[in-house]
C-alpha cells in the first residue's frame, strides 16, 4: 500500500466571501457525470486555488462587517453582511495585509518562528 506523505495542498471548506463563486456553483449540475472535464478543473483552480496569502486576498477579498447594536449597546462584528442593517450603519473592514490586526498577527507569527525555530 502506498502512503502519500505530503500533498502540498490544503482544502479549506469555509465560506470566506459570499459574494464570490464557490465550488458548488463552479461545478454545477453533475448528474450523469463520472468526473469533471479538464476545462472545468482549470476553471475551478482559476477561481479557488491560491498559492499565497496575497493571492487569497485578491481572489476572495475577505472582510468583516461591524455595526453598533442599539439593543445591547455594543459594537458587533459579523462575517456575513447583515441584511437588516442600513448600508450607512455598516462598516466593512477588509481582512488583508493592510489591516492593523492582521499585521499584528503576522508580526507575532514571525517573532515566534524566529524565537523558537517554528516553521509554518
Amino acid at each position: 500500500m502506498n502512503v502519500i506523505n505530503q500533498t502540498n495542498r490544503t482544502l479549506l471548506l469555509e465560506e470566506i466571501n459570499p459574494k464570490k463563486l464557490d465550488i458548488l456553483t463552479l461545478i454545477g449540475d453533475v448528474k450523469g457525470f463520472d468526473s469533471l472535464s479538464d476545462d472545468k478543473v482549470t476553471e475551478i483552480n482559476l477561481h479557488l486555488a491560491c498559492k499565497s496569502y496575497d493571492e487569497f486576498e485578491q481572489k476572495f477579498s475577505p472582510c468583516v462587517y461591524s455595526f453598533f447594536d442599539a439593543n445591547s449597546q455594543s459594537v458587533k462584528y459579523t462575517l456575513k453582511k447583515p441584511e437588516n442593517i442600513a448600508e450607512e450603519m455598516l462598516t466593512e473592514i477588509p481582512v488583508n495585509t493592510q489591516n492593523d490586526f492582521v499585521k499584528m498577527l503576522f508580526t507575532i507569527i514571525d517573532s515566534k518562528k524566529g524565537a523558537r525555530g517554528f516553521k509554518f
Side-chain angles (χ1 to χ4, degrees), residues 49-115:
C50 299
K51 293 184 175 148
S52 67
Y53 186 79
D54 290 334
E55 186 178 3
F56 167 78
E57 281 182 7
Q58 290 173 341
K59 284 187 178 182
F60 294 100
S61 306
C63 68
V64 174
Y65 297 95
S66 76
F67 61 94
F68 182 75
D69 182 3
N71 293 332
S72 65
Q73 294 291 303
S74 64
V75 176
K76 300 284 185 173
Y77 298 91
T78 180
L79 298 175
K80 291 191 179 189
K81 188 174 184 178
E83 295 177 8
N84 58 343
I85 306 291
E87 197 69 37
E88 61 272 4
M89 303 303 285
L90 280 175
T91 301
E92 185 174 317
I93 305 167
V95 180
N96 59 33
T97 52
Q98 305 309 310
N99 179 291
D100 289 336
F101 183 73
V102 174
K103 284 181 188 177
M104 178 194 66
L105 289 176
F106 282 154
T107 301
I108 291 170
I109 290 169
D110 287 342
S111 69
K112 293 288 184 187
K113 283 193 306 191

Side-chain angles (χ1 to χ4, degrees), residues 3 9 19 35 52 58-59 105 119:
V3 176
R9 291 200 178 207
K19 295 183 242 175
S35 64
S52 67
Q58 290 173 341
K59 284 187 178 182
L105 289 176
K119 293 182 181 178

Side-chain angles (χ1 to χ4, degrees), residues 8-61:
N8 293 325
R9 291 200 178 207
T10 300
L11 180 62
L12 176 62
L13 297 174
E14 183 66 40
E15 183 178 61
I16 303 298
N17 187 337
K19 295 183 242 175
K20 302 292 182 174
L21 293 173
D22 61 28
I23 194 160
L24 294 177
T25 304
L26 289 167
I27 291 174
D29 186 15
V30 293
K31 290 181 184 172
F33 289 102
D34 291 329
S35 64
L36 298 174
S37 69
D38 289 343
D39 290 341
K40 187 55 78 172
V41 171
T42 300
E43 180 185 9
I44 290 168
N45 285 334
L46 176 71
H47 289 284
L48 300 179
C50 299
K51 293 184 175 148
S52 67
Y53 186 79
D54 290 334
E55 186 178 3
F56 167 78
E57 281 182 7
Q58 290 173 341
K59 284 187 178 182
F60 294 100
S61 306

